[in-house]
Amino acid sequence: MTAKAFTLDDLRRILREGAGEDFDLDDDIDDVTFVDLGYESLALLETGARIGREYGIELEDETLIDAETPRRLVDAVNAQLLATRA
Amino acid sequence: MSTSVVVTGLGVTAPNGLGTEAYWEATRQGVSGIRPVGRFDASQYPARLAGEVPGFVAKEHLQSRLIPQTDHMTRLALAAADWALADAGIKQDEMAEFDAGVITAASSGGFEFGQRELENLWSKGSKYVSAYQSYAWFYAVNTGQISIRHGMKGPSGVVVSDQAGGLDALAQARRQIRKGTTLVVSGGVDGSICPWGWVAQMAADRMSTAADPGSAYLPFDRGARGHVPGEGGALLVLETAEHARERGAEVYGEIAGYGATTDPRPGSGRPLALARALRLALDDAGVGPDEVDVVFADAAGVVDLDRAEATAINEVFGTGLVPVTAPKTMTGRLYSGAGSLDVTAALLSIRDGLIPPTVNVTADPAYGLDLVTGAPRAAAVRTALVVARGYGGFNSALLVRAAG
């Protein structure tokens, strides 16, 4: 399968589907921490599982927890997509 | 003299009414919520009727973060808790977080959610199981979610004793209040109307297979043929009479007495323990049988169980001497939601001076009960006894009394 690039809008959609939203995700959320957005570890695990299913990758729990912000999670997912493509 | 514990808030999600007043209006009018099952296709099952809560749209009550992580029965519970606290006039920022607790009853947990995730596990694989399955199915989930939502970190817990649980939870809440907790949200909201829950309930062989909602659940009637399951229940706000007085809260009534017993092993030859539970509740309240204005029966709708209950009531109160009713004939049996919903009905009976009816039932005179059937009965109700029995020999009785 060809890996797609993963964007912040993809993350917004998956967060909404899997965990709902406390704050408007359409705002500028790139560098707001997941904690401040109201997502606890379980919400991130669910989000990670959904990203993994959709993009055919296996995200480690550490990757999700260490990402801390949407921008860093998008970067981490894209890095992994590149690595699997290589 | 033990601390007086009173009820200051009610929140109801019932099959014959969403919200306390809607439920009470329907219950007074004798309007039943028992209908063909709508939550799943039950056409291939022997039992096809249920009491389902009408008109509940989760998104209207709960923020989107809670929707993916909750079973239907938890959503009902969260709404009921919100309404009970609002009814009691409790605002979160006015309570110290460790002064308020949450004690609920459960019989099954979030079965509909759990079934869906098990289907995902076995049909698609473990990657497809929701992370929220870790607690959404769990018995204690309603307590946990209400506690989080309202910042209530005081003594909390869950009791599991099938249909007796709704009363056992209220009794546990009263214990915690007497030990020094200011306020507890307590009761039960239950429901597992899904294939997995359905077959689990069928295993007890007490479910009615009747097709007609008007004659499916007939406790104390010659036509008794089992019960119809329902979903929903009630959550109540309990606090000390003193705290209620200090903040000028309206009081529905007092949780004045409680008794619980366990039946002996079937076949042991020893007597059933229900009458003793009733007496314990009266003794705990310091109330004589002649002072009780109405008994809200457990009303199993199974001949042997109906006979055992009628025998116990007559043994304690004298044959036919106390009015008996079972408004659960309008909701079905709600498992852990039943006791707190009957307590709610008892408190509203006190408020409005009437006993709600047992619908669809023609009382079998052999039971010797003064069963209130057909229409509500005007009565000055000051003291009411609520009975609940759980599968496996649990007997509980709780006495409520008008305030003051």
Side-chain angles (χ1 to χ4, degrees):
Chain A
M1 101 158 229
T2 319
K4 302 176 273 180
F6 181 71
T7 68
L8 198 64
D9 280 340
D10 294 322
L11 178 58
R12 285 188 171 100
R13 171 176 54 80
I14 290 171
L15 277 169
R16 278 193 184 111
E17 286 167 6
E21 58 188 319
D22 264 343
F23 301 97
D24 190 352
L25 295 178
D26 288 331
D27 289 351
D28 180 7
I29 57 162
D30 302 32
D31 299 307
V32 184
T33 65
F34 286 114
V35 173
D36 287 342
L37 290 169
Y39 296 110
E40 77 297 311
S41 59
L42 219 47
L44 291 174
L45 289 180
E46 177 64 17
T47 301
R50 284 169 180 264
I51 295 169
R53 291 187 325 233
E54 191 172 325
Y55 290 84
I57 54 173
E58 194 75 56
L59 286 168
E60 293 294 330
D61 294 352
E62 287 71 26
T63 309
L64 292 161
I65 305 301
D66 294 348
E68 286 188 342
T69 65
R71 184 196 303 273
R72 286 173 57 186
L73 181 55
V74 168
D75 290 349
V77 170
N78 281 316
Q80 201 159 326
L81 285 170
L82 274 174
T84 47
R85 214 179 306 180
Chain B
M1 188 69 198
S2 296
T3 305
S4 170
V5 175
V6 298
V7 179
T8 55
L10 304 172
V12 171
T13 57
N16 62 339
L18 181 62
T20 305
E21 292 309 326
Y23 159 72
W24 187 235
E25 180 63 22
T27 299
R28 281 198 327 239
Q29 306 285 340
V31 177
S32 171
I34 294 174
R35 289 183 188 83
V37 171
R39 293 200 67 78
F40 71 100
D41 177 6
S43 58
Q44 300 304 304
Y45 294 80
R48 296 181 299 278
L49 299 174
E52 295 176 353
V53 175
F56 183 78
V57 180
K59 285 193 174 84
E60 292 173 2
H61 302 280
L62 303 170
Q63 68 270 36
S64 79
R65 280 286 280 114
L66 281 167
I67 303 294
Q69 58 177 277
T70 46
D71 180 80
H72 174 64
M73 64 108 196
T74 299
R75 297 169 186 171
L76 293 173
L78 287 166
D82 285 2
W83 296 335
L85 286 161
D87 185 38
I90 295 292
K91 295 186 179 61
Q92 190 177 329
D93 49 11
E94 292 170 4
M95 290 283 306
E97 59 186 8
F98 291 100
D99 288 346
V102 184
I103 296 169
T104 64
S107 72
S108 52
F111 267 26
E112 191 178 56
F113 192 108
Q115 170 165 1
R116 188 183 66 225
E117 298 311 322
L118 283 171
E119 286 171 1
N120 285 339
L121 175 65
W122 297 113
S123 64
K124 298 177 188 166
S126 60
K127 285 194 182 72
Y128 288 82
V129 177
S130 167
Y132 293 116
Q133 168 69 0
S134 53
Y135 58 68
W137 73 273
F138 189 45
Y139 306 97
V141 68
N142 291 356
T143 287
Q145 289 282 23
I146 294 164
S147 164
I148 292 166
R149 184 172 177 82
H150 297 284
M152 295 179 156
K153 299 181 183 175
S156 297
V158 61
V159 296
V160 179
S161 42
D162 188 47
Q163 181 125 344
L167 298 183
D168 296 338
L170 294 172
Q172 175 66 3
R174 186 177 69 149
R175 271 182 219 113
Q176 290 296 359
I177 290 169
R178 286 180 168 174
K179 284 185 191 170
T181 300
T182 305
L183 177 146
V184 179
V185 172
S186 184
V189 172
D190 213 342
S192 54
I193 302 174
C194 61
W196 180 26
W198 214 242
V199 294
Q201 292 166 61
M202 276 165 42
D205 203 25
R206 292 182 183 176
M207 268 162 80
S208 173
T209 55
D212 167 30
S215 60
Y217 175 33
L218 301 171
F220 307 114
D221 184 310
R222 282 209 181 104
R225 60 189 68 173
H227 72 264
V228 173
E231 66 179 13
L235 290 169
L236 283 57
V237 173
L238 276 59
E239 59 190 295
T240 62
E242 188 185 9
H243 188 255
R245 203 167 33 244
E246 278 169 7
R247 60 185 198 86
E250 186 189 337
V251 172
Y252 287 100
E254 181 193 11
I255 305 289
Y258 168 73
T261 60
T262 310
D263 285 330
R265 179 178 50 81
S268 70
R270 297 196 301 275
L272 296 174
L274 180 60
R276 196 155 48 86
L278 272 50
R279 283 199 195 92
L280 285 167
L282 297 182
D283 292 349
D284 182 34
V287 161
D290 57 327
E291 295 173 82
V292 175
D293 301 306
V294 58
V295 174
F296 285 76
D298 173 64
V302 174
V303 171
D304 289 355
L305 293 164
D306 286 351
R307 189 181 302 118
E309 186 173 24
T311 301
I313 290 169
N314 289 331
E315 193 181 305
V316 172
F317 293 96
T319 300
L321 294 184
V322 67
V324 176
T325 192
K328 61 170 66 76
T329 44
M330 293 173 248
T331 62
R333 285 175 71 82
L334 303 188
Y335 303 91
S336 76
S340 53
L341 188 62
D342 274 344
V343 166
T344 297
L347 292 166
L348 295 171
S349 298
I350 290 170
R351 185 189 75 180
D352 292 352
L354 62 86
I355 298 169
T358 306
V359 302
N360 300 324
V361 168
T362 305
D364 180 350
Y367 289 119
L369 295 176
D370 173 18
L371 198 66
V372 178
T373 55
R377 184 188 295 181
V381 181
R382 283 196 50 81
T383 305
L385 184 71
V386 178
V387 182
R389 288 177 295 180
Y391 188 82
F394 298 101
N395 304 302
S396 295
L398 191 127
L399 191 118
V400 295
R401 190 162 46 195

